[in-house]
Amino acid sequence: MLLLDQLKRQLHFEGTPKRIISLVPSQTELLVDLGLEASIVGVTKFCVHPKHLRKSKAIVGGTKQIKVEKIKALQPDIILCNKEENSKEIIEELEFITPVHISDIYNLDDCYELINMYGALFRVEDKASALIENIQNKHADFQLKIKDKKHLKVAYFIWKNPWMIAASETFIGCMLKEARFQNVFENSKRYPEIDLNDERLKQADMFFLSSEPYPFKERHILDLKLQFPEKTIKIVDGELFSWYGSRLLKSFDYFESLYT
């Protein structure tokens, strides 16, 4: 069997991969929702959904640091990675063990492509198609509900010390646009460092402080309020802005709640 990943790399398999290691939390959750939990043999310490999974599967490290010998001992048929979350060095090391499938996600079409790829790769095409249809229906319903809503301008903070923002060419940036928020940093790329004197912050109606990767808390709202007393500042669920796959089923209802 010959398949491509999202970097158009060719992967060869003699049959359907039965022993899966996932090094990406959102992809781990996707596997479970495609009915593949029994095939998962290894996950990262950040694979928190579903909650029970880390108790029943081997923990092979994080997304940036892995336990190579532990991965080898699990004898995987395939390892699932992501271009942004896993380094090139990690991927090159893993390719000596088994085929590595790499995702590359910037928008919803990329999400749907990945779900279809997993459907074909693991022979769960019907479940993959049904999941995509459910996500698309959620998306369409959301767009109808908010079609008359004002486009609020936002700044989406992902880190502190230094302050970092999600800008364009990111999945978060895509999801902000899908939620009809206007990113005041859309003319920048990726995750730029900024200081709090940046003029673009004055344009924002709202500051979103993501719950991940930096664990923003209520005290950070109070700190920012000292400098920006007129701004609406909210802690937002980072998973629902940055996780792709089946978590998208929950994202659009959550986005609607941010307008209230």
Side-chain angles (χ1 to χ4, degrees):
M1 179 169 58
L2 172 64
L3 291 170
L4 299 178
D5 66 12
Q6 288 191 297
L7 298 185
K8 309 305 179 187
R9 298 160 61 253
Q10 291 187 350
L11 304 178
H12 299 267
F13 301 95
E14 294 184 3
T16 304
K18 298 296 185 182
R19 297 179 61 80
I20 307 168
I21 288 177
S22 173
L23 299 184
V24 187
S26 54
Q27 293 172 193
T28 301
E29 181 181 46
L30 173 58
L31 293 173
V32 173
D33 290 332
L34 290 174
L36 296 163
E37 182 173 344
S39 296
I40 301 171
V41 296
V43 298
T44 75
K45 61 184 179 181
F46 301 115
C47 293
V48 296
H49 298 297
K51 291 181 179 180
H52 67 268
L53 204 64
R54 289 180 300 171
K55 296 179 181 178
S56 60
K57 308 297 179 180
I59 306 297
V60 297
T63 56
K64 306 300 183 187
Q65 294 181 320
I66 57 171
K67 300 176 181 178
V68 175
E69 294 306 316
K70 194 168 187 178
I71 290 173
K72 287 180 181 178
L74 290 169
Q75 298 182 309
D77 298 321
I78 188 170
I79 301 172
L80 305 180
C81 291
N82 174 265
K83 180 183 175 182
E84 181 172 298
E85 293 199 46
N86 310 120
S87 70
K88 181 180 179 182
E89 290 74 22
I90 283 177
I91 290 167
E92 289 176 346
E93 192 167 17
L94 293 174
E95 286 180 317
F96 286 104
I97 301 173
T98 199
V100 177
H101 188 284
I102 304 174
S103 63
D104 192 22
I105 305 290
Y106 292 94
N107 54 50
L108 289 177
D109 285 340
D110 293 336
C111 297
Y112 301 146
E113 180 183 61
L114 180 66
I115 295 169
N116 275 324
M117 283 181 168
Y118 283 4
L121 181 58
F122 301 115
R123 296 288 189 251
V124 288
E125 291 92 338
D126 290 346
K127 289 181 179 179
S129 296
L131 175 58
I132 291 171
E133 184 177 357
N134 287 338
I135 294 170
Q136 290 174 330
N137 288 340
K138 284 277 192 181
H139 183 216
D141 289 345
F142 168 73
Q143 294 294 335
L144 282 175
K145 289 177 181 177
I146 66 162
K147 63 183 179 67
D148 297 322
K149 297 285 188 181
K150 177 186 175 183
H151 285 234
L152 297 174
K153 296 180 179 180
V154 304
Y156 190 104
F157 288 80
I158 63 163
W159 202 259
K160 183 179 185 292
N161 296 328
W163 295 103
M164 295 177 69
I165 294 288
S168 64
E169 297 184 9
T170 64
F171 186 62
I172 293 171
C174 167
M175 295 305 282
L176 287 170
K177 189 175 294 185
E178 293 293 346
R180 293 177 68 86
F181 295 116
Q182 183 179 338
N183 189 346
V184 296
F185 288 89
E186 64 186 355
N187 291 327
S188 296
K189 294 182 179 180
R190 306 297 290 160
Y191 306 105
E193 294 182 15
I194 66 163
D195 63 55
L196 294 183
N197 294 317
D198 193 299
E199 286 295 315
R200 288 168 290 186
L201 292 175
K202 296 179 181 179
Q203 303 170 20
D205 301 305
M206 305 173 70
F207 292 174
F208 287 166
L209 309 185
S210 184
S211 62
E212 63 169 49
Y214 187 90
F216 282 106
K217 305 296 182 185
E218 292 297 323
R219 68 178 182 274
H220 299 117
I221 293 179
L222 298 176
D223 290 343
L224 285 169
K225 276 286 189 181
L226 294 175
Q227 186 166 341
F228 302 95
E230 77 287 0
K231 301 295 184 186
T232 299
I233 305 175
K234 293 184 176 183
I235 304 289
V236 296
D237 188 332
E239 292 177 358
L240 296 176
F241 277 97
S242 63
W243 284 38
Y244 41 91
S246 46
R247 181 117 313 225
L248 290 169
L249 289 171
K250 300 180 180 181
S251 291
F252 300 109
D253 288 340
Y254 179 70
F255 296 161
E256 185 181 358
S257 75
L258 294 175
Y259 282 90
T260 59

